[in-house]
Amino acid sequence: MPKFRNSFLLLGCSLLLLGSAYAPAAASCPPGCECSEAAHTVKCVAKELRSVPLGIPGYARNLFITGNQIMRIGPESFKGLENVTNLSLSNNRISEVESHTFSSLTSLRSLDLSCNQLAVLHPEALTVAERSLRELNLSRALYNRSGILDLSAALRHSSLTSLRGLDLSHNSIIYLPPGMFTRLGGLRRLLLTNNSLVAFHNATLAGLGDLQELDLTLNSLRNVPEEGLRELDSLPEAEILLGENPFTCTCGIEPFARWLNRSRGRIRNPDQMMCAFPANLRNASLLSVVGASGSLGCRPRGAGAELALQTSYVFLGLVLGLVGLVFLLVLYLNRRGIKKRVYDMRDACREVWEGYHYRFETDSDPRLSQVSSSTDM
């Protein structure tokens, strides 16, 4: 019996020692953060943090570091966090993201950098190991309009072929650099809501052949010319949102209107596409104004218009020819007076030239100058 009791005490002490050894590791949590091992979640929200806290538990899969004062993040910020799949860094005033900042996050699926002030994005700032990233939120993230150039370079260098969703809304973007999305071949959803886009140029949307949703609402599109229509036609599977743009409903918008009628099945909520100009058509539905035929009732330029234009060109040529003949006739009738004026001008120029020549020779010869002085005396 005493032997059994001693064994039981020995076993209990061993379990107590093991528990004390593992308890600190299980309970460790950085200051200013809340950790839940059961939920695999760490939250560091609105704690005035100046940098990513050290000692984040390795079990973390969902990491929320939001509402702080973190200005810069780099490769050292997330070391040892291979299990993180969802990372939210929104509203931290982040202005600089260094290259390979997220390379150690080998399991990362979702990255939220919204509501920051990104002014410097290094070329490989968005590089993720194993190309695992699926969702990237950059809404309200760019510090100014020039930030789109850094972002374009970062997207081209990072090769995010597995990315499915990209949110670039609310960034005041005026234009998209050509080839910006060429390395995002797997993208399915592109949100460009509430920017200042005015047009699409060649290769703006290149590489997005598998896109399924393109949101262009609340931009500054007045018209979509032929070049832009070709860009949209390069997205055969995409559902396109074009509502709440200030369309100018004049004759120049007719090609776009015809394209809308052909592609009505791909346009979501076409009734929200309203005319902003001219004033008499303001808030009128674009589709109702152009009608099913895609015409605003503008007078077509037919054969009669072409003939009238050619006739005007012929008449203008005749008038110019007549003016030329009159000018030549005036020159011919005044040929003697013109000849006399030319001779008089020639003689006057010759006398002036001879005077300058004589003065130059007198000044250059000292003997002549002395003779001239003696004569004066």
Side-chain angles (χ1 to χ4, degrees):
M1 189 69 177
K3 184 177 181 181
F4 177 76
R5 183 182 300 168
N6 292 335
S7 300
F8 181 78
L9 291 174
L10 181 62
L11 179 61
C13 292
S14 300
L15 292 175
L16 184 61
L17 289 173
L18 288 174
S20 62
Y22 283 98
S28 64
C29 190
C33 298
E34 299 175 3
C35 304
S36 173
E37 184 175 5
H40 304 285
T41 300
V42 176
K43 295 181 179 180
C44 310
V45 180
K47 299 299 181 180
E48 299 294 328
L49 299 175
R50 300 289 179 176
S51 62
V52 176
L54 300 176
I56 296 175
Y59 60 73
R61 295 181 183 175
N62 306 301
L63 179 56
F64 300 90
I65 305 175
T66 62
N68 294 287
Q69 304 293 326
I70 302 172
M71 303 294 293
R72 186 198 66 84
I73 52 177
E76 75 284 353
S77 301
F78 304 102
K79 284 186 177 180
L81 299 177
E82 294 83 2
N83 293 321
V84 172
T85 57
N86 301 307
L87 175 59
S88 178
L89 297 170
S90 65
N91 197 22
N92 279 309
R93 297 187 178 181
I94 298 173
S95 61
E96 181 179 3
V97 181
E98 295 185 0
S99 294
H100 300 286
T101 293
F102 309 104
S103 295
S104 60
L105 303 175
T106 55
S107 302
L108 190 62
R109 296 292 185 273
S110 175
L111 175 59
D112 186 355
L113 286 168
S114 62
C115 300
N116 280 289
Q117 300 174 3
L118 300 179
V120 179
L121 276 172
H122 292 257
E124 296 183 349
L126 299 176
T127 298
V128 178
E130 306 298 333
R131 300 177 181 177
S132 59
L133 195 63
R134 297 291 189 274
E135 298 289 333
L136 178 58
N137 187 352
L138 293 170
S139 176
R140 295 185 176 90
L142 300 182
Y143 177 69
N144 53 32
R145 293 171 177 174
S146 63
I148 194 67
L149 298 176
D150 279 2
L151 176 60
S152 176
L155 291 176
R156 290 198 304 268
H157 283 83
S158 298
S159 187
L160 299 174
T161 55
S162 299
L163 195 67
R164 295 295 181 265
L166 176 59
D167 189 349
L168 293 175
S169 60
H170 302 273
N171 279 306
S172 300
I173 300 172
I174 297 177
Y175 77 104
L176 297 171
M180 178 176 176
F181 307 111
T182 51
R183 306 298 295 274
L184 307 182
L187 200 65
R188 300 292 186 271
R189 187 176 68 263
L190 178 58
L191 306 181
L192 293 166
T193 313
N194 199 6
N195 284 293
S196 301
L197 294 171
V198 296
F200 297 103
H201 303 287
N202 286 333
T204 295
L205 303 175
L208 298 178
D210 293 335
L211 197 68
Q212 296 177 359
E213 179 182 346
L214 175 61
D215 193 343
L216 293 166
T217 56
L218 286 170
N219 276 278
S220 301
L221 298 172
R222 295 178 178 270
N223 191 4
V224 182
E226 295 290 341
E227 184 179 3
L229 295 179
R230 288 193 295 269
E231 289 290 301
L232 295 179
D233 282 334
S234 67
L235 312 173
E237 305 297 329
E239 186 179 32
I240 303 171
L241 289 81
L242 289 165
E244 300 185 63
N245 279 280
F247 294 110
T248 301
C249 295
T250 57
C251 295
I253 205 171
E254 287 189 351
F256 176 47
R258 289 192 291 269
W259 180 87
L260 284 177
N261 284 304
R262 294 196 310 267
S263 310
R264 187 173 295 196
R266 299 170 52 200
I267 307 301
R268 189 190 301 178
N269 300 327
D271 295 334
Q272 295 182 5
M273 301 174 63
M274 303 294 180
C275 299
F277 305 99
N280 61 321
L281 294 177
R282 185 172 298 165
N283 296 326
S285 172
L286 175 60
L287 294 180
S288 65
V289 168
V290 298
S293 62
S295 174
L296 281 168
C298 301
R299 185 175 181 179
R301 178 182 288 183
E306 293 291 342
L307 180 61
L309 184 61
Q310 293 177 6
T311 303
S312 63
Y313 287 153
V314 172
F315 179 75
L316 179 61
L318 292 174
V319 170
L320 292 177
L322 181 61
V323 170
L325 289 175
V326 171
F327 180 71
L328 293 175
L329 180 61
V330 170
L331 291 179
Y332 177 75
L333 295 176
N334 292 277
R335 62 188 184 279
R336 293 181 180 179
I338 295 173
K339 185 176 181 180
K340 183 178 182 301
R341 285 180 176 273
V342 171
Y343 286 160
D344 291 342
M345 290 177 63
R346 184 190 63 183
D347 294 339
C349 291
R350 181 179 297 171
E351 291 176 358
V352 173
W353 171 251
E354 288 178 353
Y356 279 116
H357 183 67
Y358 175 75
R359 185 177 300 174
F360 176 75
E361 289 181 349
T362 302
D363 293 340
S364 61
D365 192 341
R367 294 176 297 175
L368 294 176
S369 61
Q370 292 175 2
V371 171
S372 178
S373 301
S374 301
T375 305
D376 293 339
M377 291 177 61

